[in-house]
Amino acid sequence: MNELKILLKKDLLLTFGMLINLKARMRDKKLRRRTLGGLLGFVVIILYIVLFINVFLQMTPYLFARGAGGFLLELGFGAFSFMMILIALSTILSQCYFSHDIHILLRLPINQRNILLSKLLAAYAGALPMGLLLALPFIIQYGRYSGQGVLFYVNAVLSLLGSGLITVGVLAIIIIPLMGLFNRLPRFKNLFQMIGLVLFLAVFMSIQLMSKNFGMNMSDHPRDVAPGLNLSILWLFPQVKLLKSLLTTSGDFLGLGGALLILVVGGLLLFLCIRLLSGNFIRGVLAGSHVARRKKAGKWVAAKKSGIAGMIARKDIRDIFKTPIYLFNLSTLGIIFTIVILFSLFQDGMAEKLSMVGLYLTSLSSWLLILIGLHIGLLLALFFTGLGQTALTSVTREGKNIWLMQTLPIRAEDQVRGRLQAAWFFQLINILPVSALFIYMSFRAWQMIIGYLIGVLISMLMTSTSALLLGTLFPKLFWTTPSQAIKQNLLAFLHSLIIMVMSGALVALPFIIIKKRYIYGTNLLTEILSLLKVFPLLTAAIFLLIAIGCYFGSIAAWKKKIGKYQI
């Protein structure tokens, strides 16, 4: 038992290290910036959660007036289940299969079952606070309006604790055998994580499809959303119906017995996982290390003919593919946006509106169509290629291996060009779905397509070079796992914030200028077209100047900073 306590303390420290060692981290100059960035991100998440909860809590009088107060419990249990799956899944994968501490523990005289139990309990403890934060406000609101006693809240909390244990146990039963299989196959471990993220996206898209089938429109008032959302929750999380009935149809003491039974079942399931899967778990972890050694032995056998910059670009791309969560974030923004727009295209009357727009575009001059396309290309590429810039973390992802770049005779120009090539590769992946949609909706106006492609190219150059300059000047080289280099990076958050502000400015500035210049009684459309003859060209010139300055600035920064990077 003492051994398990020590292991659990270590794993909880990994999970809650930022909060447990907050004072010590704030004194350390290297960790202070990362800690502040993490706390800022946590505050933003909490604000979003509060807004989400507040919107639906306002529905309480409406729901109880119609005898549908149980929907609050469904919302609470559904949000709890979703958060437990999301956080526990990522924690199990990262701490068990994408970390190296287990290899160290296996060399010590430690019971293998205790290693697995500690990891699962840490994943449970890491997901539980956020799940309770989402669920308890709905449960408390339901209890207040329905006049429930103290025992109701005790039953609810015990049910949540047991449901969380069952969730972690089921995840372990699914993940451990699959990772044991995938770890034995080269490159399949990262692919499995990527598949999981794609399935996660599919769940969100399925909610959208189900919402349409159930007659729910997310732009409606929350009380109009409730019926469709109710069916979606019960379809995705069948256990919600059991938990709800346990609290609403059973008496207090019978509900207490049911809640304790769920808690016992969760504990038994976790016990069976430890007894039956610990050996499979250890073999799967060790198989991953053997595969990694075989891959390293076979690398760089043949000489490359594409130059130093091309080799650096391929290395950068491989590093990103080794971090599937980062790859998922980079490559799905454009896809999600395109799918959302495609959904709206099938709405009633949309085809007629688009045909009217196409008819009007045919009446404009070729030069004006090019400028309109240029402005749209600058705006879309700025947003979709600026967020999650790979060039920003290119130097950071070197980590402790930065000494290789300090010692190898590689020119600064090749370093910068190689990292920019990798950034352009992922930028193209993100912007291609959006570009295909724009070309489809441009009604074959080739002039507008030419302007759009020029705008995309200029924005890509500006966002990638500016990100590389910032990443070269302020790298974060101290990290233990690749995901830490990206997730807990304050500079990446600030750069994304700047990109969003610039994107908003490109949308808002033309309206502000027109509002100031517009004289009542004049033709508003004429004012807009006259502004489009100047504004896109001015924006493109500014972006080009920034791109050129940042490119040469990156080369100069690399030459100046490369010898000063320290771990």
Side-chain angles (χ1 to χ4, degrees):
M1 184 61 69
N2 188 47
E3 181 182 272
L4 179 61
K5 288 181 180 179
I6 295 173
L7 289 172
L8 189 57
K9 182 179 179 181
K10 174 190 70 69
D11 288 326
L12 289 176
L13 189 62
L14 289 175
T15 306
F16 299 103
M18 184 178 296
L19 298 177
I20 295 174
N21 296 324
L22 185 59
K23 290 184 179 179
R25 293 171 70 93
M26 292 302 292
R27 294 192 199 102
D28 192 316
K29 292 182 179 179
K30 290 184 177 179
L31 296 177
R32 186 183 304 155
R33 187 183 301 172
R34 181 169 62 177
T35 303
L36 290 174
L39 291 175
L40 181 60
F42 181 75
V43 170
V44 171
I45 293 173
I46 294 298
L47 288 176
Y48 273 106
I49 290 175
V50 170
L51 290 173
F52 166 79
I53 292 173
N54 185 56
V55 167
F56 285 100
L57 289 183
Q58 291 176 2
M59 298 166 49
T60 305
Y62 169 84
L63 292 172
F64 273 90
R66 286 157 178 77
F71 176 63
L72 290 174
L73 294 179
E74 293 172 0
L75 272 175
F77 287 129
F80 177 83
S81 301
F82 174 78
M83 195 57 64
M84 286 297 298
I85 293 173
L86 178 65
I87 299 179
L89 176 62
S90 61
T91 304
I92 292 172
L93 285 174
S94 61
Q95 291 195 10
C96 294
Y97 297 99
F98 294 86
S99 181
H100 300 291
D101 65 325
I102 294 180
H103 298 86
I104 300 173
L105 294 174
L106 291 176
R107 299 170 186 171
L108 303 174
I110 297 176
N111 191 328
Q112 295 179 356
R113 291 174 180 172
N114 285 339
I115 295 175
L116 177 58
L117 179 58
S118 174
K119 293 292 183 184
L120 295 182
L121 289 177
Y124 173 73
L128 192 61
M130 196 63 73
L132 291 175
L133 181 65
L134 275 171
L136 288 179
F138 294 108
I139 294 172
I140 293 171
Q141 186 82 334
Y142 175 86
R144 286 178 57 235
Y145 272 78
S146 58
Q148 300 291 338
V150 176
L151 200 55
F152 167 82
Y153 300 105
V154 174
N155 296 345
V157 172
L158 290 176
S159 300
L160 290 173
L161 295 177
S163 175
L165 282 175
I166 294 174
T167 300
V168 172
V170 171
L171 287 175
I173 291 173
I174 296 172
I175 292 171
I176 291 175
L178 285 176
M179 289 303 293
L181 172 65
F182 282 116
N183 262 0
R184 291 178 174 84
L185 302 174
R187 302 175 184 174
F188 267 61
K189 182 170 70 173
N190 293 330
L191 178 62
F192 175 68
Q193 193 177 9
M194 186 66 184
I195 291 172
L197 293 169
V198 172
L199 291 176
F200 176 72
L201 174 62
V203 169
F204 273 107
M205 301 313 301
S206 66
I207 292 175
Q208 177 70 22
L209 291 172
M210 284 187 297
S211 301
K212 287 185 175 293
N213 292 333
F214 298 146
M216 178 176 69
N217 188 351
M218 297 304 290
S219 63
D220 292 340
H221 191 275
R223 65 170 174 263
D224 302 320
V225 173
L229 189 57
N230 163 266
L231 295 173
S232 300
I233 291 172
L234 295 179
W235 187 86
L236 289 170
F237 308 110
Q239 73 273 21
V240 169
K241 188 174 183 179
L242 172 64
L243 296 173
K244 175 188 170 185
S245 62
L246 183 69
L247 293 179
T248 55
T249 60
S250 305
D252 285 344
F253 290 100
L254 186 60
L256 178 61
L260 291 173
L261 180 62
I262 292 175
L263 194 60
V264 171
V265 169
L268 288 175
L269 183 61
L270 211 58
F271 174 77
L272 289 175
C273 288
I274 303 306
R275 298 287 296 182
L276 301 177
L277 297 176
S278 59
N280 195 344
F281 167 71
I282 298 300
R283 287 192 296 271
V285 172
L286 293 176
S289 63
H290 296 327
V291 168
R293 284 196 291 270
R294 289 200 301 270
K295 287 169 66 178
K296 288 180 181 179
K299 277 186 179 180
W300 306 107
V301 176
K304 304 297 181 180
K305 298 181 179 180
S306 58
I308 300 297
M311 293 174 65
I312 292 174
R314 282 193 296 274
K315 173 186 172 299
D316 218 24
I317 292 170
R318 277 196 304 271
D319 288 343
I320 293 171
F321 272 93
K322 291 177 183 177
T323 313
I325 294 177
Y326 190 35
L327 176 62
F328 178 82
N329 293 335
L330 289 173
S331 57
T332 55
L333 180 61
I335 297 173
I336 294 172
F337 176 82
T338 305
I339 293 174
V340 171
I341 295 299
L342 285 174
F343 275 130
S344 64
L345 290 179
F346 292 103
Q347 294 180 358
D348 295 336
M350 184 59 67
E352 296 180 2
K353 294 178 183 177
L354 290 176
S355 62
M356 291 176 62
V357 173
L359 185 63
Y360 176 73
L361 290 176
T362 56
S363 64
L364 300 178
S365 64
S366 297
W367 177 242
L368 193 55
L369 286 174
I370 292 174
L371 293 177
I372 293 174
L374 177 65
H375 184 72
I376 296 173
L378 289 169
L379 174 61
L380 292 181
L382 174 65
F383 183 78
F384 288 104
T385 68
L387 297 178
Q389 256 295 332
T390 61
L392 188 72
T393 59
S394 183
V395 180
T396 292
R397 281 182 275 107
E398 296 290 344
K400 297 177 182 179
N401 294 326
I402 193 65
W403 65 271
L404 285 172
M405 298 300 161
Q406 293 173 326
T407 55
L408 292 174
I410 301 177
R411 296 187 311 154
E413 290 82 358
D414 290 328
Q415 291 278 8
V416 170
R417 290 168 189 164
R419 296 171 195 279
L420 286 177
Q421 288 174 21
W424 297 336
F425 172 79
F426 289 104
Q427 283 180 322
L428 285 173
I429 292 177
N430 218 352
I431 197 64
L432 276 176
V434 181
S435 299
L437 181 64
F438 173 80
I439 292 172
Y440 168 75
M441 297 177 63
S442 62
F443 302 97
R444 300 177 184 177
W446 60 267
Q447 303 96 329
M448 195 159 63
I449 294 173
I450 291 175
Y452 172 82
L453 294 177
I454 294 173
V456 167
L457 178 61
I458 293 173
S459 276
M460 284 176 57
L461 292 173
M462 191 275 294
T463 54
S464 59
T465 52
S466 61
L468 183 60
L469 177 60
L470 289 174
T472 307
L473 289 173
F474 308 105
K476 173 192 165 187
L477 301 171
F478 181 77
W479 46 265
T480 54
T481 61
S483 59
Q484 291 179 0
I486 301 148
K487 289 181 182 178
Q488 301 173 10
N489 195 328
L490 180 61
L491 188 62
F493 171 77
L494 293 176
H495 184 265
S496 298
L497 186 63
I498 292 171
I499 291 297
M500 287 189 284
V501 170
M502 292 178 66
S503 302
L506 277 185
V507 175
L509 278 177
F511 290 99
I512 295 173
I513 295 172
I514 290 171
K515 184 178 179 180
K516 290 185 176 181
R517 291 179 52 186
Y518 179 67
I519 300 174
Y520 183 75
T522 59
N523 193 331
L524 179 61
L525 185 59
T526 304
E527 291 288 337
I528 296 174
L529 294 179
S530 64
L531 180 64
L532 285 174
K533 294 177 181 179
V534 180
F535 190 79
L537 290 175
L538 182 61
T539 306
I542 294 172
F543 280 16
L544 273 177
L545 290 174
I546 293 174
I548 294 170
C550 289
Y551 172 74
F552 289 106
S554 298
I555 295 174
W558 187 270
K559 291 177 180 178
K560 183 178 179 181
K561 299 276 292 185
I562 184 63
K564 298 180 181 180
Y565 292 145
Q566 295 180 356
I567 302 298

